[in-house]
Amino acid sequence: MSKREDIKDASVALSFDYGLIYTKILGWIDLGHAQANDARRLKSILLEEKGREFFPEYNDWYFPVDYFQEMGANKSIFGHTIEFRGGIHSPLMIRSCLSWKMKQRIALTIMMKTAFRFESFQQFPVFKLRSDSGFSGEDLISDLVGFYRVFGEGIDPIILAQPTSKEYALWIWGYYGAIGNFKNKEFRPLLFPAPSPHTRNSPRKGFIPSWLDYIKPLPNLESEHILNRHRNEPSKNFFNDINRINQELYISIREKGWNTTNGVRNTNMPANLHFAPHKPISVDFFTIDKTF
């Protein structure tokens, strides 16, 4: 949940991995989302292709991908920092040896689908009592900015978005109120025009600039580049809807440092527990196919 005291100045926008800035092109950006540690981890997994295996039923090679988004808090217990997290985990299998451009599209597809589910998760009543974060106006566009900072090329999108001064951002916040009061379920910016006297000012949806739109998500999953995973194997018919990826709700309790090995960040999935995990649909042997 973004707060007024989180607002930063344009001069330090690239120096912080937390906080909130206002930009002329993309509106509010959450620097925590835009830090994109999840995208950086996903990029490493897609490049390394660890655990690649041949599956005869698909006549192709696949490797496992565990992508997740989470939230939570830390607590110090007997001198150890314990991380309490809840989130959404997408256990997938990705076709091996694809081009980098295709892997970029696959990564964007995974991020968008999981981010949308994660924002929905944050709208559960138990969380809404303490936070207005679910689909907060800056969340999805900040995820997209973070994705392009990792998978894109050229100038940092935060620079291209034209961050404003802290004074201007505070003026916008003071006039319109907290960004969490404005919901946005699209990967598009929510812009807040400069207040003018004798005019009723209200936020409006902006357009995605070309430098944040040159990587396209897959239109569907029919190509089988992305498959759901069950028991460490790809599953084509996991759901009736072939375009749906599996997104498991989980909790995780772990000690800080689990994601580093010899001082280097690893790509491990944290220990977790799924709530009511999905299972592949059962084959109905008694349904008559009317196409015959």
Side-chain angles (χ1 to χ4, degrees), residues 92-291:
L92 305 168
M93 297 293 279
I94 306 301
R95 178 173 279 153
S96 180
C97 298
L98 298 173
S99 69
W100 174 238
K101 286 189 176 181
M102 180 55 69
K103 286 184 176 180
Q104 287 175 307
R105 298 185 67 189
I106 286 172
L108 183 57
T109 303
I110 294 172
M111 185 279 286
M112 283 183 158
K113 287 180 176 289
T114 306
F116 196 90
R117 182 68 183 88
F118 178 66
E119 295 300 323
S120 299
F121 163 61
Q122 292 185 89
Q123 286 200 311
F124 284 3
V126 65
F127 299 121
K128 291 182 70 174
L129 292 174
R130 299 187 59 186
S131 171
D132 57 7
S133 185
F135 291 111
S136 182
E138 83 285 13
D139 283 344
L140 293 181
I141 190 63
S142 299
D143 285 336
L144 189 60
V145 167
F147 176 87
Y148 270 84
R149 296 183 81 188
V150 174
F151 283 90
E153 302 172 351
I155 301 173
D156 192 319
I158 288 184
I159 296 176
L160 295 175
Q162 301 180 33
T164 67
S165 67
K166 182 176 181 179
E167 289 72 19
Y168 183 87
L170 289 170
W171 182 42
I172 294 296
W173 183 284
Y175 182 85
Y176 289 97
I179 180 60
N181 295 332
F182 301 91
K183 302 303 179 183
N184 183 7
K185 294 188 176 183
E186 297 181 78
F187 287 87
R188 289 176 57 188
L190 192 59
L191 302 176
F192 295 80
S196 57
H198 313 298
T199 302
R200 182 179 179 182
N201 300 282
S202 59
R204 60 178 177 83
K205 287 286 182 67
F207 294 98
I208 295 294
S210 60
W211 41 266
L212 212 62
D213 194 37
Y214 57 87
I215 301 174
K216 304 293 185 182
L218 300 178
N220 55 61
L221 304 185
E222 295 177 0
S223 64
E224 298 184 6
H225 291 334
I226 303 175
L227 291 175
N228 289 303
R229 188 174 80 238
H230 181 64
R231 295 178 179 174
N232 295 320
E233 294 186 358
S235 178
K236 179 179 179 180
N237 298 314
F238 200 91
F239 299 108
N240 287 321
D241 181 3
I242 64 172
N243 292 316
R244 178 182 174 186
I245 68 171
N246 188 20
Q247 297 162 328
E248 302 287 3
L249 174 63
Y250 74 89
I251 60 169
S252 176
I253 303 175
R254 69 269 181 146
E255 186 173 1
K256 186 177 181 179
W258 63 272
N259 57 347
T260 57
T261 303
N262 298 323
V264 179
R265 188 178 291 271
N266 59 49
T267 58
N268 297 339
M269 178 71 194
N272 64 86
L273 176 65
H274 287 174
F275 279 103
H278 298 105
K279 296 181 180 179
I281 57 174
S282 301
V283 178
D284 185 356
F285 294 100
F286 300 97
T287 298
I288 299 176
D289 190 340
K290 295 182 181 180
T291 60

Side-chain angles (χ1 to χ4, degrees), residues 19-54:
L20 192 68
I21 59 173
Y22 189 78
T23 68
K24 296 179 181 179
I25 308 300
L26 300 177
W28 291 105
I29 294 179
D30 183 322
L31 296 176
H33 283 247
Q35 182 68 13
N37 288 326
D38 58 321
R40 198 166 287 109
R41 175 181 174 274
L42 179 58
K43 182 178 181 179
S44 296
I45 294 173
L46 292 175
L47 289 173
E48 294 171 1
E49 297 194 6
K50 288 183 179 179
R52 188 176 64 162
E53 186 177 346
F54 182 76

Side-chain angles (χ1 to χ4, degrees), residues 72-76 81-85 254 256:
N74 296 347
K75 187 174 180 63
S76 180
T81 301
I82 306 300
E83 300 177 343
F84 296 86
R85 298 289 188 271
R254 69 269 181 146
K256 186 177 181 179

